[in-house]
Amino acid sequence: MRFAFKTSPQETTWSDMLAVWREADDIDFYESGWTFDHFYPIFTDSTGPCLEGWVTLTALAQATERLRVGVLVTGNVYRHPAVLANMAATLDIVSEGRLELGLGAGWNQEECDAYGIELPPLRERFDMFDEACQVIIGLLSDTTTDLDGRHYQLRAARCEPKPVQRPHPPIVIGGGGEKRTLRAVARYAQHWNYPGGPVEEFAQKRKVLDEHCAAIGRDSSEIMTSTHLRLGTDLDTGPLVEAAAAYAEAGLDMGIIYLPPPHTPAVLEPVAQALAPLSRPLVS
């Protein structure tokens, strides 16, 4: 298994996150670093502080040299996909080709209600998401893009300059929905993030993904798999290692270690040492 880390920009400070990313950039064990895309803290006090994910990631990309960088994942309802495509191309350029482009349909009702952002019913939301993936991939890959969709219409649309990574940065789709999310992974993604849960559930959903890939003639081994591995607030690495070992046995490619706030670089070396027996180097 390979390993990454995630610092959700909630209940934290810029200086603390920056310190973690700068330290991790010097530790080869960590392949990539991730933020999230929310405007309110999630699964905690939603009135607390929360930095915007893409702006934060852009600054962190400039503060690092080696780590691949990504937002896990971007909520489609928050931005027009053509705007997001331009953001992604620019960040891939300023990071010199280190972007992992995380995408999701969006789900946070509280944020949408507060900001007046429409959060359609689930079926319509995934119809939008499928069209958004076509918009983003087209703009990042092709000279011009046309789309006459129900939700998005593009006419000879351009996105210049193109990203460093061709035909586009790797698409990461997060979620576990078997009918729509995993079908979108099979169609559009190079990386599937299973948000977390029982290892048995991951294995079952991986079989569903295999079936979606087979239906369109795609080799599912082309798609990297990852999940969140949570480090507890007590910073005990024992449960983390146990969870990582179980996922490694199930064939997971990457464990993304969710670091709890307050963020501190002091946890990085102990975590890397504890998980080192499970790690395998990235083959370039």
Side-chain angles (χ1 to χ4, degrees):
M1 190 187 294
R2 290 137 56 187
F3 291 95
F5 68 94
K6 182 174 180 177
T7 53
S8 294
Q10 65 176 31
E11 306 294 349
T12 190
T13 65
W14 164 245
S15 60
D16 284 351
M17 287 186 65
L18 180 61
V20 169
W21 283 63
R22 282 178 167 166
E23 180 75 14
D25 200 40
D26 292 329
I27 303 174
D28 288 342
F29 174 84
Y30 299 103
E31 179 179 321
S32 54
W34 304 80
T35 64
F36 74 12
D37 187 32
H38 290 285
F39 308 112
Y40 287 8
I42 58 172
F43 311 131
T44 181
D45 179 6
S46 63
T47 67
C50 188
L51 298 169
E52 198 280 329
W54 272 85
V55 172
T56 302
L57 187 72
T58 302
L60 292 167
Q62 286 295 284
T64 55
E65 297 180 353
R66 179 190 62 82
L67 287 168
R68 297 190 62 78
V69 301
V71 173
L72 197 63
V73 289
T74 309
N76 180 58
V77 296
Y78 297 142
R79 304 167 189 83
H80 192 288
V83 174
L84 180 60
N86 279 269
M87 292 167 57
T90 299
L91 181 46
D92 198 52
I93 290 167
V94 302
S95 68
E96 299 181 326
R98 291 186 285 137
L99 177 65
E100 301 276 324
L101 180 49
L103 303 174
W107 60 268
N108 194 302
Q109 190 72 59
E110 182 181 15
E111 293 175 333
C112 289
D113 288 347
Y115 289 167
I117 298 171
E118 183 181 2
L119 186 66
L122 201 59
R123 181 173 180 175
E124 182 179 357
R125 203 183 315 161
F126 276 95
D127 290 344
M128 291 176 63
F129 182 64
D130 283 341
E131 287 187 15
C133 288
Q134 296 172 49
V135 167
I136 291 166
I137 291 171
L139 286 172
L140 294 178
S141 305
D142 302 329
T143 303
T144 61
T145 298
D146 292 277
L147 182 70
D148 185 18
R150 177 183 175 190
H151 302 281
Y152 305 110
Q153 297 81 41
L154 274 64
R155 297 176 181 83
R158 297 184 300 277
C159 175
E160 297 294 341
K162 295 291 188 230
V164 172
Q165 299 177 90
R166 305 295 291 146
H168 55 75
I171 302 294
V172 186
I173 293 179
E178 296 182 6
K179 293 182 179 180
R180 297 300 300 268
T181 299
L182 294 182
R183 188 171 69 180
V185 172
R187 288 178 173 176
Y188 306 117
Q190 288 73 54
H191 177 172
W192 168 49
N193 176 253
Y194 170 62
V199 175
E200 296 78 13
E201 183 181 73
F202 162 75
Q204 187 271 329
K205 290 183 183 295
R206 180 59 193 263
K207 291 180 181 178
V208 174
L209 176 59
D210 291 344
E211 293 169 0
H212 283 305
C213 287
I216 61 172
R218 185 178 183 190
D219 184 352
S220 62
S221 67
E222 298 174 356
I223 301 172
M224 187 173 79
T225 60
S226 69
T227 195
H228 295 92
L229 300 172
R230 293 186 177 272
L231 178 65
T233 55
D234 60 1
L235 306 185
D236 180 5
T237 59
L240 180 69
V241 172
E242 183 177 346
Y247 272 108
E249 182 69 21
L252 187 79
D253 297 310
M254 176 182 285
I256 300 175
I257 303 156
Y258 211 127
L259 301 178
H263 292 128
T264 171
V267 305
L268 293 171
E269 280 290 358
V271 166
Q273 291 174 13
L275 292 172
L278 297 173
S279 70
R280 63 178 176 84
L282 175 65
V283 178
S284 59

Short mmCIF file of all heavy atoms in Angstrom, two decimals, residues 139-170:
data_model
loop_
_atom_site.label_atom_id
_atom_site.label_comp_id
_atom_site.label_asym_id
_atom_site.label_seq_id
_atom_site.Cartn_x
_atom_site.Cartn_y
_atom_site.Cartn_z
N LEU A 139 -12.79 20.19 -21.62
CA LEU A 139 -12.05 21.45 -21.58
C LEU A 139 -10.57 21.25 -21.28
O LEU A 139 -9.71 21.96 -21.82
CB LEU A 139 -12.67 22.38 -20.54
CG LEU A 139 -14.00 23.01 -20.93
CD1 LEU A 139 -14.62 23.75 -19.74
CD2 LEU A 139 -13.84 23.98 -22.10
N LEU A 140 -10.25 20.29 -20.44
CA LEU A 140 -8.85 20.05 -20.09
C LEU A 140 -8.09 19.31 -21.19
O LEU A 140 -6.87 19.41 -21.27
CB LEU A 140 -8.75 19.25 -18.79
CG LEU A 140 -9.24 19.95 -17.52
CD1 LEU A 140 -9.14 19.02 -16.32
CD2 LEU A 140 -8.46 21.24 -17.26
N SER A 141 -8.82 18.58 -22.04
CA SER A 141 -8.17 17.70 -23.01
C SER A 141 -8.20 18.21 -24.44
O SER A 141 -7.25 17.98 -25.20
CB SER A 141 -8.84 16.32 -22.98
OG SER A 141 -8.85 15.78 -21.67
N ASP A 142 -9.30 18.86 -24.84
CA ASP A 142 -9.53 19.19 -26.25
C ASP A 142 -9.35 20.69 -26.51
O ASP A 142 -9.50 21.51 -25.61
CB ASP A 142 -10.93 18.77 -26.66
CG ASP A 142 -11.17 17.28 -26.45
OD1 ASP A 142 -10.20 16.50 -26.57
OD2 ASP A 142 -12.33 16.90 -26.15
N THR A 143 -9.10 21.02 -27.77
CA THR A 143 -8.94 22.43 -28.14
C THR A 143 -10.20 23.21 -27.87
O THR A 143 -10.18 24.30 -27.28
CB THR A 143 -8.55 22.55 -29.63
OG1 THR A 143 -7.34 21.80 -29.85
CG2 THR A 143 -8.32 24.00 -30.01
N THR A 144 -11.34 22.67 -28.30
CA THR A 144 -12.63 23.27 -27.99
C THR A 144 -13.60 22.17 -27.59
O THR A 144 -13.44 21.01 -27.97
CB THR A 144 -13.23 24.04 -29.19
OG1 THR A 144 -13.43 23.14 -30.28
CG2 THR A 144 -12.33 25.20 -29.59
N THR A 145 -14.61 22.55 -26.82
CA THR A 145 -15.58 21.59 -26.32
C THR A 145 -16.99 22.11 -26.57
O THR A 145 -17.30 23.26 -26.28
CB THR A 145 -15.39 21.35 -24.81
OG1 THR A 145 -14.09 20.81 -24.58
CG2 THR A 145 -16.43 20.39 -24.26
N ASP A 146 -17.83 21.22 -27.11
CA ASP A 146 -19.26 21.51 -27.30
C ASP A 146 -20.05 20.50 -26.48
O ASP A 146 -19.74 19.30 -26.48
CB ASP A 146 -19.65 21.39 -28.77
CG ASP A 146 -19.03 22.48 -29.61
OD1 ASP A 146 -19.58 23.58 -29.66
OD2 ASP A 146 -17.97 22.21 -30.23
N LEU A 147 -21.07 20.98 -25.81
CA LEU A 147 -21.95 20.09 -25.07
C LEU A 147 -23.34 20.70 -25.03
O LEU A 147 -23.51 21.85 -24.62
CB LEU A 147 -21.45 19.86 -23.63
CG LEU A 147 -22.29 18.90 -22.79
CD1 LEU A 147 -22.15 17.47 -23.30
CD2 LEU A 147 -21.90 18.97 -21.31
N ASP A 148 -24.31 19.93 -25.48
CA ASP A 148 -25.70 20.37 -25.43
C ASP A 148 -26.42 19.51 -24.40
O ASP A 148 -27.20 18.62 -24.73
CB ASP A 148 -26.35 20.24 -26.81
CG ASP A 148 -27.77 20.82 -26.82
OD1 ASP A 148 -28.10 21.61 -25.91
OD2 ASP A 148 -28.54 20.47 -27.73
N GLY A 149 -26.11 19.77 -23.13
CA GLY A 149 -26.67 18.98 -22.06
C GLY A 149 -27.92 19.61 -21.48
O GLY A 149 -28.28 20.74 -21.81
N ARG A 150 -28.54 18.88 -20.60
CA ARG A 150 -29.72 19.43 -19.92
C ARG A 150 -29.31 20.50 -18.92
O ARG A 150 -30.02 21.49 -18.72
CB ARG A 150 -30.46 18.30 -19.21
CG ARG A 150 -31.68 18.77 -18.41
CD ARG A 150 -32.34 17.64 -17.67
NE ARG A 150 -33.43 18.14 -16.82
CZ ARG A 150 -34.06 17.41 -15.91
NH1 ARG A 150 -33.73 16.13 -15.75
NH2 ARG A 150 -35.02 17.93 -15.19
N HIS A 151 -28.16 20.30 -18.29
CA HIS A 151 -27.74 21.20 -17.21
C HIS A 151 -26.62 22.15 -17.64
O HIS A 151 -26.50 23.25 -17.08
CB HIS A 151 -27.28 20.38 -16.01
CG HIS A 151 -28.34 19.46 -15.48
ND1 HIS A 151 -29.37 19.89 -14.68
CD2 HIS A 151 -28.53 18.13 -15.66
CE1 HIS A 151 -30.16 18.87 -14.38
NE2 HIS A 151 -29.67 17.79 -14.95
N TYR A 152 -25.80 21.75 -18.58
CA TYR A 152 -24.67 22.57 -19.02
C TYR A 152 -24.63 22.60 -20.54
O TYR A 152 -24.81 21.57 -21.20
CB TYR A 152 -23.35 22.02 -18.48
CG TYR A 152 -23.32 21.85 -16.98
CD1 TYR A 152 -23.32 20.59 -16.39
CD2 TYR A 152 -23.34 22.97 -16.13
CE1 TYR A 152 -23.30 20.43 -15.02
CE2 TYR A 152 -23.34 22.82 -14.75
CZ TYR A 152 -23.32 21.55 -14.21
OH TYR A 152 -23.32 21.39 -12.84
N GLN A 153 -24.39 23.80 -21.08
CA GLN A 153 -24.28 23.97 -22.53
C GLN A 153 -22.98 24.72 -22.84
O GLN A 153 -22.76 25.81 -22.32
CB GLN A 153 -25.47 24.76 -23.09
CG GLN A 153 -26.82 24.07 -22.90
CD GLN A 153 -27.40 24.27 -21.52
OE1 GLN A 153 -27.32 25.36 -20.96
NE2 GLN A 153 -27.99 23.23 -20.95
N LEU A 154 -22.13 24.11 -23.63
CA LEU A 154 -20.87 24.72 -24.06
C LEU A 154 -20.86 24.82 -25.57
O LEU A 154 -21.29 23.88 -26.26
CB LEU A 154 -19.67 23.89 -23.59
CG LEU A 154 -19.13 24.15 -22.17
CD1 LEU A 154 -20.15 23.79 -21.11
CD2 LEU A 154 -17.84 23.37 -21.95
N ARG A 155 -20.35 25.93 -26.07
CA ARG A 155 -20.26 26.14 -27.51
C ARG A 155 -18.85 26.58 -27.86
O ARG A 155 -18.43 27.69 -27.53
CB ARG A 155 -21.28 27.19 -27.95
CG ARG A 155 -22.72 26.78 -27.70
CD ARG A 155 -23.71 27.86 -28.05
NE ARG A 155 -25.09 27.43 -27.77
CZ ARG A 155 -25.67 27.50 -26.56
NH1 ARG A 155 -24.99 27.99 -25.53
NH2 ARG A 155 -26.92 27.08 -26.40
N ALA A 156 -18.13 25.68 -28.50
CA ALA A 156 -16.73 25.95 -28.88
C ALA A 156 -15.96 26.54 -27.70
O ALA A 156 -15.20 27.50 -27.85
CB ALA A 156 -16.67 26.87 -30.09
N ALA A 157 -16.17 25.96 -26.52
CA ALA A 157 -15.56 26.48 -25.30
C ALA A 157 -14.08 26.10 -25.23
O ALA A 157 -13.69 25.00 -25.61
CB ALA A 157 -16.30 25.94 -24.07
N ARG A 158 -13.28 27.04 -24.72
CA ARG A 158 -11.83 26.83 -24.62
C ARG A 158 -11.38 26.92 -23.17
O ARG A 158 -11.98 27.63 -22.35
CB ARG A 158 -11.08 27.88 -25.45
CG ARG A 158 -11.37 27.82 -26.95
CD ARG A 158 -10.53 28.82 -27.70
NE ARG A 158 -10.77 30.20 -27.27
CZ ARG A 158 -11.77 30.96 -27.72
NH1 ARG A 158 -12.61 30.48 -28.61
NH2 ARG A 158 -11.92 32.18 -27.28
N CYS A 159 -10.29 26.25 -22.89
CA CYS A 159 -9.60 26.37 -21.60
C CYS A 159 -8.11 26.39 -21.92
O CYS A 159 -7.52 25.35 -22.23
CB CYS A 159 -9.96 25.21 -20.68
SG CYS A 159 -9.05 25.17 -19.10
N GLU A 160 -7.51 27.54 -21.84
CA GLU A 160 -6.09 27.71 -22.18
C GLU A 160 -5.40 28.55 -21.10
O GLU A 160 -6.00 29.51 -20.61
CB GLU A 160 -5.93 28.39 -23.54
CG GLU A 160 -6.49 27.59 -24.72
CD GLU A 160 -5.75 26.30 -24.97
OE1 GLU A 160 -4.60 26.15 -24.49
OE2 GLU A 160 -6.33 25.42 -25.63
N PRO A 161 -4.19 28.20 -20.75
CA PRO A 161 -3.41 27.08 -21.27
C PRO A 161 -3.88 25.75 -20.67
O PRO A 161 -4.54 25.73 -19.63
CB PRO A 161 -1.99 27.41 -20.82
CG PRO A 161 -2.17 28.21 -19.56
CD PRO A 161 -3.42 29.02 -19.78
N LYS A 162 -3.51 24.68 -21.33
CA LYS A 162 -3.86 23.35 -20.87
C LYS A 162 -2.99 22.96 -19.66
O LYS A 162 -1.92 23.52 -19.44
CB LYS A 162 -3.64 22.33 -21.99
CG LYS A 162 -4.56 22.51 -23.18
CD LYS A 162 -5.99 22.18 -22.82
CE LYS A 162 -6.88 22.17 -24.05
NZ LYS A 162 -8.09 22.97 -23.89
N PRO A 163 -3.48 21.99 -18.88
CA PRO A 163 -2.67 21.53 -17.75
C PRO A 163 -1.38 20.86 -18.20
O PRO A 163 -1.25 20.46 -19.36
CB PRO A 163 -3.59 20.52 -17.05
CG PRO A 163 -4.55 20.08 -18.11
CD PRO A 163 -4.76 21.26 -18.99
N VAL A 164 -0.44 20.75 -17.28
CA VAL A 164 0.83 20.08 -17.58
C VAL A 164 0.58 18.60 -17.86
O VAL A 164 1.14 18.04 -18.81
CB VAL A 164 1.80 20.24 -16.38
CG1 VAL A 164 3.06 19.40 -16.58
CG2 VAL A 164 2.16 21.71 -16.18
N GLN A 165 -0.24 17.96 -17.05
CA GLN A 165 -0.52 16.53 -17.20
C GLN A 165 -1.51 16.33 -18.35
O GLN A 165 -2.56 16.97 -18.39
CB GLN A 165 -1.08 15.96 -15.91
CG GLN A 165 -0.13 16.09 -14.74
CD GLN A 165 -0.73 15.58 -13.45
OE1 GLN A 165 -0.60 14.40 -13.11
NE2 GLN A 165 -1.38 16.47 -12.71
N ARG A 166 -1.16 15.46 -19.28
CA ARG A 166 -1.97 15.23 -20.46
C ARG A 166 -2.45 13.79 -20.50
O ARG A 166 -1.69 12.89 -20.12
CB ARG A 166 -1.19 15.59 -21.72
CG ARG A 166 -0.62 17.01 -21.74
CD ARG A 166 -1.66 18.09 -21.75
NE ARG A 166 -2.37 18.13 -23.02
CZ ARG A 166 -3.65 18.44 -23.15
NH1 ARG A 166 -4.38 18.72 -22.06
NH2 ARG A 166 -4.23 18.46 -24.34
N PRO A 167 -3.69 13.54 -20.92
CA PRO A 167 -4.62 14.53 -21.46
C PRO A 167 -5.24 15.44 -20.40
O PRO A 167 -5.80 16.48 -20.74
CB PRO A 167 -5.69 13.66 -22.13
CG PRO A 167 -5.68 12.39 -21.34
CD PRO A 167 -4.23 12.17 -20.99
N HIS A 168 -5.13 15.06 -19.13
CA HIS A 168 -5.64 15.88 -18.03
C HIS A 168 -5.11 15.31 -16.73
O HIS A 168 -4.64 14.16 -16.69
CB HIS A 168 -7.18 15.90 -18.03
CG HIS A 168 -7.81 14.53 -17.99
ND1 HIS A 168 -7.85 13.75 -16.85
CD2 HIS A 168 -8.42 13.79 -18.96
CE1 HIS A 168 -8.45 12.61 -17.10
NE2 HIS A 168 -8.80 12.60 -18.38
N PRO A 169 -5.14 16.06 -15.64
CA PRO A 169 -4.76 15.50 -14.34
C PRO A 169 -5.64 14.30 -14.00
O PRO A 169 -6.80 14.23 -14.44
CB PRO A 169 -5.00 16.66 -13.36
CG PRO A 169 -4.91 17.88 -14.22
CD PRO A 169 -5.47 17.50 -15.55
N PRO A 170 -5.13 13.36 -13.22
CA PRO A 170 -5.95 12.21 -12.84
C PRO A 170 -7.26 12.64 -12.18
O PRO A 170 -7.26 13.50 -11.30
CB PRO A 170 -5.06 11.45 -11.86
CG PRO A 170 -3.67 11.87 -12.20
CD PRO A 170 -3.77 13.29 -12.65
#
